[in-house]
């Protein structure tokens, strides 16, 4: 239909336009709340799975690096343990050899000590005719026998007391004693007492021993 404006000075009214917005039609999609809930749960699950996947990969990388470092440390510690065991074995071997040397060195001077102590204990009017090793209770305690003659019974008693007083001698026992005549031609025979003693070597306390370094003694004699 055509409208004509007959009024003077009249102007044609401009056509008005009404702007409107319309929402998309979701009539094709179901709007059930259970479906929406399931979709939301699925979306959350997908996000959680993605996060777990990324975090697991990161943790796996960290564990791999840590495992490699642990393997390297294990190899290094194994080498240190092997070296320590080798040094320990060498130390034990050296200690064993030193103990053997000390044992041999300690037993080397037993008889010089015994001879020196017996000579020091010998009183006047007493002399020896024999001294021998008759056995040992162990490697460091030999048992020895002394045979000799004394001018009187008091000299023999003094000799036994002097032997007992020595730190190197113990268990002095009188085995036999007998009176006999001693003298040379053209000389009046003299009654003496023939005796046999047995005793054992004793290791004295270390504080009673006086030791001198070999190098020091050798330098002093030059």
């Amino acid at each position: 239909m055509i409208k004509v404006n007959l009024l003077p000075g009249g102007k044609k009214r401009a056509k008005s336009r009404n702007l409107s917005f319309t929402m998309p039609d979701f009539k094709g999609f179901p709007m059930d709340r259970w479906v929406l809930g399931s979709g939301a749960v699925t979306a959350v699950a997908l996000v959680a799975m993605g996060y777990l996947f990324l975090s697991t990969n990161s943790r796996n990388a960290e564990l791999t690096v840590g495992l490699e470092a642990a393997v390297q440390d294990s190899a290094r510690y194994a080498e240190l343990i092997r070296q320590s065991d080798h040094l320990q074995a060498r130390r034990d071997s050296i200690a064993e050899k030193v103990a053997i040397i000390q044992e041999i060195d300690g037993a080397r001077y037993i008889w010089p000590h015994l001879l020196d102590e017996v000579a020091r204990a010998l009183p006047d009017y007493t002399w020896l005719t024999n001294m021998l090793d008759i056995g040992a209770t162990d490697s460091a305690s030999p048992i020895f026998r002394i045979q000799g003659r004394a001018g009187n019974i008091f000299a023999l008693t003094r000799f036994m007391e002097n032997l007992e007083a020595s730190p190197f001698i113990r268990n002095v026992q009188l085995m036999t004693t007998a009176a006999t005549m001693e003298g040379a031609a053209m000389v009046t025979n003299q009654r003496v007492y023939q005796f046999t003693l047995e005793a054992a070597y004793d290791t004295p306390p270390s504080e009673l021993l006086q030791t001198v370094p070999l190098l020091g003694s050798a330098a002093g004699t030059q």
Side-chain angles (χ1 to χ4, degrees), residues 17-23:
R17 296 181 180 179
N18 295 327
L19 300 176
S20 62
F21 299 93
T22 58
M23 297 295 294

Side-chain angles (χ1 to χ4, degrees), residues 42-62:
T42 303
V44 172
L46 291 176
V47 172
M49 290 177 62
Y51 173 76
L52 291 176
F53 178 77
L54 295 177
S55 61
T56 301
N57 287 340
S58 177
R59 182 59 177 169
N60 187 23
E62 293 178 358

Side-chain angles (χ1 to χ4, degrees), residues 7 35 77 98 115:
L7 295 176
V35 175
Y77 291 148
V98 169
L115 293 175

Side-chain angles (χ1 to χ4, degrees), residues 196-213:
T196 300
L197 301 176
E198 289 186 3
Y201 173 80
D202 191 15
T203 303
S206 59
E207 60 269 14
L208 297 180
L209 299 178
Q210 182 179 2
T211 59
V212 179

Side-chain angles (χ1 to χ4, degrees), residues 85-130:
D85 293 341
H86 179 68
L87 293 177
Q88 181 70 26
R90 288 188 60 186
R91 190 186 70 173
D92 294 343
S93 177
I94 293 174
E96 183 179 357
K97 292 178 181 178
V98 169
I100 295 175
I101 293 174
Q102 289 178 343
E103 182 179 357
I104 296 174
D105 187 68
R108 181 172 55 177
Y109 298 103
I110 288 180
W111 284 103
H113 282 310
L114 286 177
L115 293 175
D116 186 57
E117 293 298 310
V118 170
R120 185 180 292 116
L122 198 65
D124 295 335
Y125 309 108
T126 306
W127 64 98
L128 304 182
T129 59
N130 194 9

